[in-house]
Amino acid sequence: MRKKIVAGNWKMNCDLSEMELLLTGLKQDLPKSIRTKVMVAPSFTNLYQAFRSLRESNIEVVAQNMHQKEEGAFTGEISANMLKSVGVNTVILGHSERRTIFHESDELLAEKAKTALRNEMKIIFCIGEELSDRKQNSQFEVVKSQLTKGLFHFEKSDWEEFILAYEPVWAIGTGETATPAQAQEMHAFIRNLISQKYGETLANKIPILYGGSVKPNNAVEIFAQPDVDGGLIGGAALKADEFTAIILSAENSMDGKRII
Ligand code: PEP
């Protein structure tokens, strides 16, 4: 079994004091000796304070987005170097809200991924189909296309830096979760695509997180699926007790298993 990862995406929530409260709760609730890799993604304005607050903890601070260019006249944008200068070494790219609301294309995301790699950053790369795709049974085609256009031109060695997040758009923030079987089916499909392109050894190493209305009451079953390596959590990551419960579900799913 691969080591579990649980990442909280706080989106455009939490001002500075609300984040401090959340971080205090998390640091209190989470056992120190946890094997699960825990990440949180605050807004840009809170990144540095989060980094400082979590320096002594085993919680990593990641960014929700970044610009594809290194620097220049791009008013309102944040570069990879800026993120690195405040202690952030991982960025979420391709979240469905970025794809849909901000019209980020597969090509743009490929460019962002290239910039992140050039800056020695890790990437949580999100893929997932819309409800209309699933209704037409084209979810596999959509996910394959996102993966192919976004990441399949990278070298095998670049994949060391990738974490994938399968997030069916119809399950994000809706309270409707993919069933554990639906999640497993897609994760196995994704792993198989990676295996065909880069070989089985790499495919077996790549973490694939599930995202979409993961809550304390469904996390256990989802994380028990063999190809689900943890979760990308939205709403439930905003409450310290719920996020902790989800992390502990990931932690418990590793009990008695050999971690590769
Ligand atoms: C997300 O935004 O990545 C997400 C999974 O949100 P939620 O958990 O709220 O569905």
Side-chain angles (χ1 to χ4, degrees), residues 77-215:
E77 293 295 329
I78 303 285
S79 72
N81 181 52
M82 289 169 184
L83 295 176
K84 293 206 72 176
S85 73
V86 294
V88 174
N89 294 306
T90 302
V91 61
I92 300 173
L93 293 179
H95 189 279
S96 71
E97 287 149 20
R98 299 296 319 170
R99 289 178 185 265
T100 314
I101 307 170
F102 300 99
H103 311 294
E104 295 197 355
S105 64
D106 292 313
E107 292 69 26
L108 175 73
L109 293 169
E111 203 184 332
K112 288 190 176 199
K114 197 169 165 196
T115 305
L117 289 179
R118 200 168 45 238
N119 284 275
E120 297 179 353
M121 295 184 77
K122 288 192 178 294
I123 300 162
I124 301 176
F125 196 84
C126 304
I127 48 182
E129 82 283 359
E130 306 266 351
L131 184 58
S132 54
D133 302 320
R134 191 157 273 266
K135 281 190 172 154
Q136 291 164 35
N137 204 28
S138 53
Q139 65 270 24
F140 297 110
E141 220 175 288
V142 169
V143 165
K144 181 176 179 181
S145 165
Q146 290 173 336
L147 212 47
T148 307
K149 291 182 187 158
L151 298 185
F152 272 10
H153 53 284
F154 286 108
E155 301 291 327
K156 203 171 181 175
S157 55
D158 294 330
W159 277 72
E160 295 287 322
E161 315 306 330
F162 296 157
I163 296 170
L164 299 181
Y166 168 58
E167 300 204 296
V169 181
W170 47 271
I172 296 180
T174 59
E176 189 171 340
T177 325
T179 63
Q182 282 173 323
Q184 169 55 28
E185 184 183 35
M186 183 58 87
H187 283 224
F189 172 77
I190 292 168
R191 206 175 295 288
N192 191 39
L193 287 177
I194 301 169
S195 178
Q196 282 169 16
K197 172 82 184 161
Y198 295 100
E200 204 182 334
T201 309
L202 178 74
N204 283 334
K205 274 205 242 166
I206 297 298
I208 310 176
L209 314 184
Y210 168 80
S213 297
V214 176
K215 307 284 176 206

